[in-house]
Amino acid sequence: MIERFYLKEYLSFKEVELDLKSGLVVFTGPSGSGKSILMNSVLATFGGESCDAALCESTVTWELAAQDDAIEFDEVNIFKHIKKDKSRYFINNQSISKKAINALASRYLKQLSLRDFSDFENENLLSIIDSRLDAKKHNANELKSVYKEAFLEHQKVKKELFTIENEQKKIVELKEFAAYEIKKIEDVNPKISEDIELLNIKKELSKKEKALEAISKAGAIFEHEHNVFNALDLLNVDSSFFSDSMNELRALMESAQERLNMLDEVDVEDVLNRIELLGDLKRRYGSIEDALKYKEQKIQELAKYENIEIAKGDLEHREAVLGKKVREIADRLSALRKSEIESFNSDLNRYLKELYLRDAKSELKDREYGPFGKDEIVLKLNSTDLQKVSTGEFNRLRLAILALKSELMSKDGGVLMLDEIDANLSGEESMSVAKVLKQLSKHFQIFVISHQPQLTSMGDQHFLVYKNGDESHARELNFDERVDEIARIISGESITQEARGFAKELLGLNKNEKL
């Protein structure tokens, strides 16, 4: 529920703070006093409306469940809208986008003054029927859960099978292409780092003759090696360092000469051709490593193509088994729902009769299999499509659906906000709406603006919205003040004793109903 609301500097309101109770919360007051402004500012807290208030703040006790938003929730959470240069939204002082705060709050708050069809969506109507079946020990929701799991698995298998069948149509071309790509790389048969080695060989071949000539000339140093040893002996210098250096130099020269002589067996044209082939692979695949990875990928693809018939056969078998299971469970669900539809219609029309509405009729029709079965509920009011009924009829029908749903609710349903739902109704019709709202208030906190005494008298909490000069105010009324306000609604500003007596009678009836 919303247990506190605070508003600062919005149109005719300078500041207002409301401590709110559960149940039916009624707002009354003269026309133009600011009731709708106040209701819109509450919605603005949750991103449902736009307003230029300096601050709208609601404290809620909803058991919030975060999804994608990284918001830390407490037992009591504060939703806030601040307007300075631009609108900003917060939950517990953590910034959040308008879209995100509205998406989160919409799971706990409904505004019934809009032609919102969510309560008439197929999933919602089916859930009411399934819950009614559960109450009669038919375990429809458990069956629906088993069905949904099988349906989703069946859809997954069908998608995999569809992919394979599409691949199979071009399997010959794909196999030929994969084999061609593999052969193209295998014909070259590249080795990792082979291109670097070949480039080094090419470089050495280009300077082979000059290198051998230089080695030959440098070999003259060894002819004078003994002279250096004699000089070092005469100078009493340890000649081991010179011996080590000369041995290292001799080994280096011999190794280089041997390597260069081995190049005599290398065909320059072969090296250049090989470098060109490897260059083509590198230009196409990026590197030799990438070319080899690509070849392995194509080998795996080829194996997959060659085994596709086996995979397809397995999937076809799974699809057939799951399809049969889906159809069988859907048929069982459908049979249960058909057994309940007349009772559903009867109870719905009981509420509609209380609300002075024409009979409605719900029919179950077959549709494509979906996550909730193969049933579609088509609901009409006196054979009229819902899109064509008046706004007043639409909202009262919606109340009847909510009342039917609330019969099986075991927890708080959130907040309902209604703006003059009893406008232009007769006294009897207004009382009927009030009684249904009173029942709903056992499961919902309901905010309602009313200009009718019947609904006003049913309130668990009554706020008067009024103006003092140009400034709007809101305050909670006690019993005597409620008598005066209801009497004003009945007779106008000149309150009569008869109006006051009728107001007391209405409030007394409501009090007795509570007892």
Side-chain angles (χ1 to χ4, degrees):
M1 61 173 279
I2 302 174
E3 64 177 19
R4 173 184 169 274
F5 174 70
Y6 178 76
L7 174 65
K8 185 175 182 180
E9 295 178 9
Y10 181 42
L11 297 177
S12 57
F13 285 95
K14 297 299 181 184
E15 187 175 33
V16 63
E17 182 172 5
L18 306 177
D19 290 320
L20 300 160
K21 299 176 182 177
S22 60
L24 184 59
V25 183
V26 180
F27 295 85
T28 65
S31 296
S33 58
K35 299 183 295 298
S36 293
I37 292 173
L38 190 60
M39 192 76 79
N40 285 343
S41 64
V42 174
L43 290 169
T45 313
F46 306 101
E49 293 284 349
S50 297
C51 79
D52 294 325
L55 174 62
C56 302
E57 183 177 283
S58 293
T59 303
V60 306
T61 57
W62 301 329
E63 294 181 7
L64 299 174
Q67 292 182 337
D68 297 331
D69 303 312
I71 299 293
E72 295 182 6
F73 295 126
D74 299 321
E75 288 186 13
V76 176
N77 298 280
I78 300 175
F79 285 64
K80 189 182 300 183
H81 166 249
I82 297 175
K83 181 69 180 284
K84 290 183 180 178
D85 296 331
K86 61 178 183 178
S87 291
R88 298 184 64 193
Y89 297 87
F90 300 86
I91 299 178
N92 300 334
N93 292 322
Q94 299 172 78
S95 182
I96 187 171
S97 71
K98 180 179 180 180
K99 182 178 179 181
I101 199 172
N102 184 240
L104 178 63
S106 64
R107 299 198 291 270
Y108 307 91
L109 183 149
K110 288 179 179 288
Q111 184 186 11
L112 265 66
S113 61
L114 302 174
R115 285 184 72 92
D116 177 4
F117 281 83
S118 60
D119 289 310
F120 300 102
E121 289 177 354
N122 195 52
E123 177 185 347
N124 183 63
L125 295 176
L126 287 176
S127 72
I128 296 174
I129 287 182
D130 293 341
S131 295
R132 289 168 63 91
L133 286 165
D134 276 5
K136 297 175 182 178
K137 310 299 183 184
H138 290 299
N139 299 324
N141 278 308
E142 182 181 341
L143 189 61
K144 184 165 62 176
S145 178
V146 174
Y147 166 84
K148 185 176 181 179
E149 183 180 349
F151 171 79
L152 294 176
E153 182 65 20
H154 183 235
Q155 292 298 109
K156 179 183 175 183
V157 171
K158 280 179 67 177
K159 185 177 180 180
E160 292 175 4
L161 186 58
F162 179 76
T163 301
I164 280 186
E165 287 173 343
N166 278 343
E167 287 181 351
Q168 195 175 29
K169 293 175 183 177
K170 50 186 179 180
I171 192 73
V172 174
E173 181 182 340
L174 290 171
K175 284 177 69 174
E176 288 178 354
F177 178 73
Y180 170 77
E181 292 287 287
I182 292 168
K183 185 175 186 302
K184 187 162 60 176
I185 297 173
E186 285 185 340
D187 285 347
V188 177
N189 194 24
K191 305 292 188 296
I192 293 176
S193 300
E194 180 185 0
D195 54 334
I196 298 173
E197 293 174 6
L198 287 173
L199 288 172
N200 287 333
I201 291 173
K202 178 185 175 184
K203 185 177 179 180
E204 288 180 335
L205 282 169
S206 67
K207 60 181 183 179
K208 172 186 173 186
E209 298 303 326
K210 289 183 179 181
L212 286 172
E213 182 180 351
I215 290 172
S216 177
K217 290 178 180 180
I221 192 174
F222 299 112
E223 297 176 5
H224 302 285
E225 184 178 359
H226 67 283
N227 292 327
V228 177
F229 279 115
N230 287 337
L232 291 173
D233 285 341
L234 291 172
L235 294 171
N236 292 322
V237 175
D238 183 4
S239 60
S240 59
F241 76 93
F242 179 68
S243 177
D244 291 341
S245 297
M246 292 304 290
N247 287 336
E248 186 177 347
L249 179 61
R250 187 178 287 106
L252 190 150
M253 292 290 191
E254 289 174 354
S255 173
Q257 188 168 20
E258 182 180 352
R259 186 172 70 254
L260 290 169
N261 287 333
M262 287 175 64
L263 293 177
D264 290 338
E265 301 175 6
V266 174
D267 188 320
V268 178
E269 290 299 320
D270 287 346
V271 171
L272 294 176
N273 289 337
R274 185 68 178 169
I275 289 174
E276 185 176 352
L277 285 172
L278 294 173
D280 287 341
L281 285 182
K282 289 166 68 177
R283 281 190 292 274
R284 182 175 177 82
Y285 302 108
S287 68
I288 290 176
E289 289 87 346
D290 289 337
L292 292 172
K293 288 178 182 177
Y294 182 75
K295 184 187 80 170
E296 287 304 314
Q297 177 187 331
K298 289 299 171 186
I299 289 173
Q300 291 175 13
E301 287 182 11
L302 189 59
K304 175 186 171 184
Y305 298 143
E306 290 171 348
N307 293 324
I308 199 167
E309 288 298 333
I310 298 173
K312 181 185 175 186
D314 290 343
L315 283 173
E316 285 176 335
H317 176 70
R318 287 179 62 199
E319 191 277 333
V321 171
L322 284 168
K324 182 181 178 183
K325 182 177 181 180
V326 165
R327 290 188 295 273
E328 287 177 348
I329 300 176
D331 286 343
R332 289 168 60 193
L333 260 178
S334 187
L336 283 173
R337 289 164 176 168
K338 286 176 181 176
S339 71
E340 180 61 25
I341 196 69
E342 288 305 319
S343 174
F344 173 86
N345 281 328
S346 176
D347 288 344
L348 176 60
N349 285 319
R350 171 169 50 83
Y351 282 110
L352 295 181
K353 185 176 181 180
E354 290 179 20
L355 292 166
Y356 292 90
L357 277 178
R358 302 166 290 168
D359 278 357
K361 185 174 183 181
S362 304
E363 292 182 328
L364 274 177
K365 294 187 176 181
D366 285 349
R367 60 180 294 178
E368 286 188 15
Y369 291 92
F372 308 101
K374 66 171 186 176
D375 303 308
E376 179 180 14
I377 296 184
V378 179
L379 175 61
K380 293 184 177 182
L381 186 62
N382 195 28
S383 303
T384 304
D385 291 337
L386 298 188
Q387 290 83 354
K388 297 179 181 179
V389 302
S390 69
T391 300
E393 289 177 322
F394 179 88
N395 284 327
R396 279 186 282 162
L397 176 58
R398 195 173 174 192
L399 276 183
I401 291 291
L402 285 168
L404 204 57
K405 186 175 184 177
S406 71
E407 290 180 349
L408 301 165
M409 291 177 65
S410 58
K411 62 179 182 178
D412 179 15
V415 177
L416 299 179
M417 302 190 72
L418 302 92
D419 189 351
E420 301 186 36
I421 195 168
D422 56 353
N424 302 318
L425 298 182
S426 68
E428 288 182 335
E429 289 172 337
S430 180
M431 181 58 80
S432 71
V433 168
K435 287 180 178 178
V436 172
L437 286 176
K438 192 67 178 176
Q439 177 178 325
L440 283 172
S441 68
K442 297 174 183 176
H443 302 282
F444 297 89
Q445 183 186 36
I446 301 175
F447 294 168
V448 60
I449 294 174
S450 180
H451 289 287
Q452 296 277 23
Q454 291 83 2
L455 177 52
T456 303
S457 68
M458 286 284 187
D460 297 298
Q461 191 175 22
H462 184 173
F463 288 95
L464 173 66
V465 182
Y466 62 98
K467 273 190 172 181
N468 186 357
D470 293 330
E471 185 176 339
S472 293
H473 302 271
R475 63 183 178 85
E476 185 177 358
L477 302 182
N478 60 32
F479 181 84
D480 290 335
E481 291 170 329
R482 292 185 71 184
V483 170
D484 289 341
E485 173 61 7
I486 294 172
R488 182 197 66 78
I489 293 172
I490 295 169
S491 63
E493 295 301 326
S494 299
I495 299 175
T496 65
Q497 288 301 318
E498 290 80 3
R500 197 183 298 277
F502 185 48
K504 285 184 177 179
E505 182 181 340
L506 285 173
L507 285 169
L509 287 172
N510 182 29
K511 186 176 181 181
N512 289 335
E513 282 193 13
K514 285 183 181 180
L515 295 174

